[in-house]
Structure formats: structure tokens, C-alpha cells
Amino acid sequence: MKKISLGLTVLVLICSLSACKELKDAQNAFQNEKGNTDNGKNEALNNLMGALQGDKDSYEDLPPASDLEAYNNYVDLSNFMTGDVEESLDRYFNGVAASGDFSPIEGGSYITTTFSNHDYEFLDEVESQADLGTSYKEMDEHALTMIPTLRALMEVLDEAGNYGNQKGYLDDNYAKGQEIHSRFVPAVNAYDDERLPYLNSLRAILQEQQARDLERFEKEGYTVRYQMLKLTMLKSEIMNAIYKQEDISDENVLSLDVTEIRPKYEEMAAVLAEFAVNFKDEAELEKEGFESYKSGQLSFFNNAITEFKVQTQALLSRVDEQRAYSEAEKLTLSTTEGSLERLIKCGSDVTSRYNDVIG
């Protein structure tokens, strides 16, 4: 049958709490120095960014991106930031303490990973899109401000990755690592200042688009698409209710306020019970324009959202019972029932599986 083009937008992957906390901790650790070293920081950033601004003449004659293309590019950049970039930062902080002074972590592992040429080309593409202008004016402004700081940070992380991969610290007793860190501090501070405005602006646009899509699916009688999007939105609402409690982590998870989470969980459970039946209805899938091969991807989505529901239930039970992690569980939080770390991983999987279905 002919495929129905719905013009759906991909979703933003949720930001890892652990990675965000690493960056926030680093920002706090660097904050005292930041006020006294603005001139030095700007000079360091200028040195790092000097040859990275690109040549606008090479793209000035290109047409502006379509609304959908522009939005999806901004989403892809968000996913890159909350995925690859935060993973790289996490690797850096695994080997170097989050402090203004360079301090290798005993027993840690110095970063050995780098970014690809494709990553930098993608930044250039999104930056040129923003410079040409799209219908998302606020996003254009945030992108043009944020991307140079991201590119500069990536350059420093690449230098650190090459240094670590070559085990240069064994040759010079971390002398080069210390010099890299002196540039990493202003670079990560500059990026962190611009990161959240970009992500928050994109999140607001996403929520508006999701609301429109949800209304359209309901009006057209697309039950499976409606329920799939509704479940994904409820997942995001649950995670946002956790993120709003900025000081909450697995270390103090029993202090989590679940007042806002519980009704969203109950609604999710009710919708999921219906979706688990409806997504197997071949006649309904054909009516809604799903290709036959999408049935497998829908099944993967169902598995992912079911696991998220189960882990949310386990988290609520843990908080209700005030059941602390055992010493063994503390060592394996990524697989521990009812841990924030496991819930975050499940949430990311839901978004990925949703994008697979509509992609």
C-alpha cells in the first residue's frame, strides 16, 4: 500500500542525569575562578576558536532549510550534545577531577576517545542553517551562540583524547594534561553557559509540536499513533518531574517527591494496557499507514515503554517503602530495579524506539 506521509518530527533524547550532574559539578567547581579570569578565558577561547569559524561565503547562496528539516537538524544537534558530547565529558571526568586545578584521579582512566570529521561537518551544517535563518528564530540565535563554544570544547577534548590514547602522560608525568586542562576549564564553562538555553528552547518547541500531533491523531482516529505519542509524552513528563528536583540523584533518591510522578504513571499504565493490544491489530496499522516491516519496530517500542513503566513502578515503590540500595546494588545501579540510572536508560531507549518507528 502507499505510505502515508505524516511529516512527523523526531524526539529529543533525554539528558543523562549523571552526565548533567558531572557538568554541573564541574561548573560549580570552576565558578570561583570564573569571575576573576574572564579576560583570560576569552583569550583562551579566542585561541581555540580562531580557525573554527568557517567561511560563510561557501553557503550564503544556499536556500533556507524547510521547517521540518531545520527542526530535525536542531533535534539531532541536541541528541549529539546529550549523547556523544556528554559521554566524552563523562570520560574526561573519569580521569580528571572536576576542579579548576588539574588533578588526575587515582585509579581513574584518562580520556582516549575523540570526535569524528563527520561530527564537525554536522556542526558546520547546523551553523550554516542557523546563519541563513529558519522559522525558528530563537533556535537560530541560540545555535549561533552555542555552536562555537561546543566546537571549541570538542577541540580541547580531542586533544585530550589523542594525548590519552597515546599515553603521553607516561612520558611527561601529565605536564601536557595540565596544560590541556587549563584550556578545558574556560571551554567547558563557556559551553555550559550556552547549553541549557539551547536545550530548553528546543524542548518548548517539541512540546508544542507534540501537542499538535496528538490532537491531529485523535481527530483522524489514528489510535496506535496517538497512544504511542501519548506514552512517549508521559515518559518525558515523568522524567521532567524528576529533573526539576535538581538535587536528586541515586545517592538521595529516597527524598524524591513523587507527588507529580504518580498520576502520570497511573495514566501511562492505563494507556499502555490498551496500546499493548492495539499495536498488534493489522487492520488498524494498515489504516494508519504503517508499512508491514514496522510491526517489529512497534514491538520494540512496546517492550521499551513497558520496561520504562515497570521501572517507574519500582522507583515509586522504593520511595514509598524508603528502601535504600544495598551495597551490592550501589555497585550495579544501571541494572538495579527502581534506580534513577536504570530509569534514565529506559527513557532514552523509549525515545530511540519511537524515532525508529516514525523514521
Side-chain angles (χ1 to χ4, degrees):
M1 65 169 290
K2 184 177 179 181
K3 183 177 180 181
I4 298 176
S5 177
L6 295 171
L8 296 177
T9 54
V10 294
L11 302 182
V12 185
L13 286 174
I14 62 172
C15 183
S16 161
L17 273 180
S18 58
C20 284
K21 186 174 185 298
E22 290 279 10
L23 190 53
K24 184 177 179 181
D25 288 346
Q27 176 80 344
N28 291 337
F30 302 152
Q31 198 66 46
N32 290 335
E33 302 167 34
K34 195 175 177 184
N36 298 324
T37 59
D38 280 344
N39 292 334
K41 180 177 76 172
N42 291 335
E43 182 179 352
L45 283 174
N46 288 336
N47 290 337
L48 284 168
M49 293 159 53
L52 299 175
Q53 299 303 320
D55 181 5
K56 293 182 181 179
D57 293 338
S58 64
Y59 57 75
E60 280 182 345
D61 58 344
L62 296 177
S66 68
D67 284 355
L68 182 60
E69 179 187 2
Y71 176 79
N72 284 341
N73 281 340
Y74 284 142
V75 168
D76 286 343
L77 177 56
S78 170
N79 290 341
F80 175 67
M81 293 162 62
T82 58
D84 292 4
V85 175
E86 288 195 358
E87 181 180 353
S88 183
L89 287 169
D90 188 57
R91 289 176 183 273
Y92 184 85
F93 289 127
N94 188 51
V96 179
S99 169
D101 296 326
F102 179 71
S103 178
I105 295 176
E106 185 175 355
S109 177
Y110 195 86
I111 185 172
T112 59
T113 56
T114 58
F115 295 97
S116 68
N117 288 338
H118 174 75
D119 293 332
Y120 287 101
E121 290 169 359
F122 173 62
L123 287 190
D124 292 341
E125 177 185 349
V126 180
E127 188 174 37
S128 67
Q129 165 186 295
D131 188 72
L132 286 167
T134 71
S135 61
Y136 303 104
K137 301 302 182 185
E138 185 175 347
M139 288 304 306
D140 295 343
E141 294 175 4
H142 286 313
L144 288 173
T145 304
M146 187 274 298
I147 288 176
T149 69
L150 172 56
R151 188 187 286 112
L153 176 61
M154 288 166 58
E155 286 281 325
V156 179
L157 287 168
D158 272 349
E159 191 173 353
N162 287 329
Y163 176 70
N165 191 48
Q166 297 166 17
K167 298 186 184 298
Y169 47 85
L170 297 179
D171 298 326
D172 64 5
N173 194 28
Y174 284 106
K176 180 66 174 178
Q178 183 171 358
E179 190 275 327
I180 291 173
H181 190 72
S182 70
R183 289 180 284 119
F184 171 81
V185 171
V188 75
N189 275 333
Y191 169 65
D192 196 42
D193 286 343
E194 304 299 336
R195 177 179 63 96
L196 286 180
Y198 177 91
L199 294 175
N200 288 337
S201 180
L202 183 60
R203 185 175 294 111
I205 295 172
L206 171 65
Q207 290 170 344
E208 292 175 4
Q209 181 62 47
Q210 286 179 328
R212 288 193 293 269
D213 286 342
L214 200 65
E215 182 179 357
R216 179 160 56 93
F217 292 156
E218 185 174 31
K219 181 179 179 180
E220 295 177 356
Y222 285 176
T223 304
V224 174
R225 292 187 185 275
Y226 175 89
Q227 291 175 341
M228 186 171 63
L229 179 56
K230 182 65 175 178
L231 288 166
T232 305
M233 292 171 68
L234 285 168
K235 178 271 301 180
S236 296
E237 290 170 10
I238 288 172
M239 295 310 305
N240 287 338
I242 296 173
Y243 291 146
K244 286 194 300 185
Q245 303 176 54
E246 295 183 357
D247 295 329
I248 289 294
S249 68
D250 272 317
E251 294 179 0
N252 61 350
V253 69
L254 300 185
S255 300
L256 179 69
D257 183 353
V258 299
T259 305
E260 187 178 346
I261 298 171
R262 195 179 305 280
K264 297 182 186 301
Y265 163 77
E266 292 171 352
E267 184 178 4
M268 171 179 282
V271 176
L272 179 57
E274 296 180 3
F275 175 78
V277 175
N278 293 333
F279 89 90
K280 298 177 182 178
D281 186 335
E282 293 183 3
E284 179 64 27
L285 296 184
E286 183 175 1
K287 183 190 80 171
E288 297 187 27
F290 285 105
E291 299 283 4
S292 58
Y293 71 88
K294 290 292 185 179
S295 61
Q297 294 174 338
L298 281 164
S299 181
F300 287 139
F301 172 81
N302 179 67
N303 293 342
I305 193 64
T306 298
E307 176 65 8
F308 182 86
K309 182 265 183 190
V310 169
Q311 290 308 315
T312 303
Q313 181 186 56
L315 175 62
L316 290 172
S317 296
R318 182 178 293 279
V319 174
D320 289 343
E321 299 168 9
Q322 288 294 287
R323 178 164 38 88
Y325 297 122
S326 67
E327 292 303 314
E329 287 176 329
K330 290 178 182 178
L331 298 175
T332 57
L333 288 173
S334 63
T335 58
T336 293
E337 293 281 325
S339 71
L340 286 179
E341 186 170 336
R342 182 165 178 176
L343 186 66
I344 291 164
K345 182 179 179 181
C346 291
S348 294
D349 192 33
V350 169
T351 302
S352 296
R353 294 303 184 182
Y354 181 89
N355 288 341
D356 287 343
V357 174
I358 69 169

